[in-house]
DNA sequence: CCGGTTACAGTGCAGCTGCATTGTAAAGGT
DNA sequence: ACCTTTACAATGCAGCTGCACTGTAACCGG
């Protein structure tokens, strides 16, 4: 019947405006008017697609989470059918990537997490999906250990959980500018080494893992 | 000459009002009027002690960081002269404590970190002091390993860094309500075990480290 | 007792906020 | 050709914001 437009495209554009604004001046700069300006549209359009500001920010967060997850899945797909260790590294690296897009997402994610600290409905968006990811990672850990000649330790699930915790913390550090992506990657490498091959002492003296 | 009051006491009261408000409704609820109300004083007083809202929040963050550090130091002092492993655990547990006060600080810290993501002057307040803490922790790790009959691995500094990263990530999870303090502690225990005694396989089957 | 300094309390204001409302142009079905 | 539905654009508004400003009461050295 009526005029038909691509809703998805509009929402995406608006959400990207939110990300951009938040990246530049913090989530507090995300207002109806500024989002409209950044997206090059009118306030009316923003209101047309989102009933409230909260809904906009929520959707922006949801899409940010999806985008990060997509980054990980892309990494898996790109790695293809290599050894599990390479795959594992590829997954984890996705969160400490120096790519600008990744940085934008992490920054917004952190800002949103700040809000989520006292907004349960937002916190839920940041919650781990269904720990499929952890289970998948645990599988990789298990295989990677076997490939290195180690025996299974039965703690893969916990180890995977910790792996992601470390990675997330490093991502936060990067977002805050406390660590360079390189330094984070180096530290992450050390941890992976430790997890995969606990017995081996220090091997690569780790050029610099400093800040 | 003039009327004399305890400046420190006033500022502390105001900052605690900021923490309380932020805990309840998020950092966005922290406004001049609400802070004044919460502290039971007038807006004029808030303005008298802080030239701007930014300054207030900054001071609140600075004091929150100090308070958390104090928590760690208290833990060290309380542990007294026990074995290094107990000391190490005491330090790390400070960040995943179920104490309400700790929760308030972590929540506010997370909210502030959200702002710090795009405010470098705030990010600096959250930056690691001078990695004295990491070095201290590395020392504990080293001693604890020796006590367990292990040989030094030369990676204690990196390991300590990772320890705190894990702990921080768990603290964030708790603040977001994604993990209970108990679950976090259990996972942290697993990691400590792993770090101190890499060779040993799984020992305590870890009742539940689930969410 | 008094001048001066400090420590507030109260008020006013310009600017911005989200949101409701109204107006209107475009498109498709009939 | 018309009518209905959609997709906006533009404007209005009440509420809140930080902050500047003014008033004033307490205190203390002299």
């Amino acid at each position: 019947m009526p005029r038909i437009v691509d809703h998805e495209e509009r929402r995406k554009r608006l959400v990207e405006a939110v990300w951009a604004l938040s990246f530049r001046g913090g989530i507090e700069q995300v207002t109806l008017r500024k989002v409209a300006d950044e997206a090059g549209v009118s306030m009316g359009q923003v209101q047309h697609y989102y009933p409230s500001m909260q809904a906009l920010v929520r959707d922006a967060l949801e899409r940010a989470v999806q985008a990060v997850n997509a980054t990980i899945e892309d990494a898996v797909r790109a790695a293809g059918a290599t050894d599990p260790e390479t795959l594992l590294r590829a997954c984890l690296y996705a969160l400490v990537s120096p790519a600008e897009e990744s940085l934008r997402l992490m920054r917004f994610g952190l800002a949103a997490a700040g809000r989520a600290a006292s907004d349960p409905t937002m916190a839920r968006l940041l919650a781990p999906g269904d720990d499929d990811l952890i289970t998948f990672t645990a599988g990789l850990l298990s295989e990677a250990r076997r490939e290195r000649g180690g025996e299974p330790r039965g703690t893969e699930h916990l180890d995977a959980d910790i792996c992601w915790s470390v990675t997330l913390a490093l991502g936060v550090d990067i977002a805050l500018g406390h660590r360079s992506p390189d330094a984070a990657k180096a530290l992450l490498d050390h941890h992976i080494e430790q997890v995969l091959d606990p017995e081996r002492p220090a091997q690569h003296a780790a050029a610099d893992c400093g800040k």
Side-chain angles (χ1 to χ4, degrees), chain A residues 31-202:
Chain A
T31 71
L32 272 184
R33 281 159 247 265
K34 297 212 180 128
V35 168
D37 267 17
E38 178 77 21
V41 302
S42 76
M43 261 179 61
Q45 183 171 132
V46 185
Q47 289 193 95
H48 185 69
Y49 286 98
Y50 294 98
S52 72
M53 200 59 214
Q54 236 195 25
L56 211 198
V57 176
R58 244 196 280 274
D59 193 41
L61 177 54
E62 196 165 356
R63 285 170 191 264
V65 170
Q66 285 177 359
V68 170
N69 285 339
T71 302
I72 297 175
E73 286 169 21
D74 283 354
V76 171
R77 217 167 296 119
T82 52
D83 52 313
E85 180 175 333
T86 306
L87 201 50
L88 174 69
R89 289 177 189 271
C91 287
L92 297 178
Y93 289 165
L95 282 200
V96 296
S97 150
E100 179 145 3
E101 175 66 9
S102 170
L103 229 131
R104 276 179 41 183
L105 291 176
M106 293 296 290
R107 279 249 197 114
F108 176 73
L110 183 54
R115 291 217 167 165
S118 50
D119 179 348
T121 76
M122 271 227 168
R124 219 163 297 130
L125 297 180
L126 281 169
D130 213 4
D131 83 3
D132 288 341
L133 181 57
I134 301 261
T135 303
F136 172 68
T137 310
L140 286 183
L141 273 177
S142 196
E143 290 179 49
R145 274 180 184 153
R146 199 178 318 134
E147 283 224 347
R148 284 203 180 194
E151 64 221 22
R153 320 183 103 231
T155 62
E156 279 76 17
H157 204 83
L158 302 181
D159 295 335
D161 203 346
I162 289 178
C163 264
W164 282 108
S165 290
V166 170
T167 311
L168 192 73
L170 292 177
V172 169
D173 276 0
I174 294 174
L176 287 176
H178 293 162
R179 248 186 253 266
S180 72
D182 279 351
K185 184 170 173 296
L187 199 59
L188 186 53
D189 275 332
H190 171 71
H191 178 69
I192 295 174
E193 210 57 47
Q194 193 88 345
V195 165
L196 288 186
D197 227 336
E199 287 128 63
R200 185 181 327 192

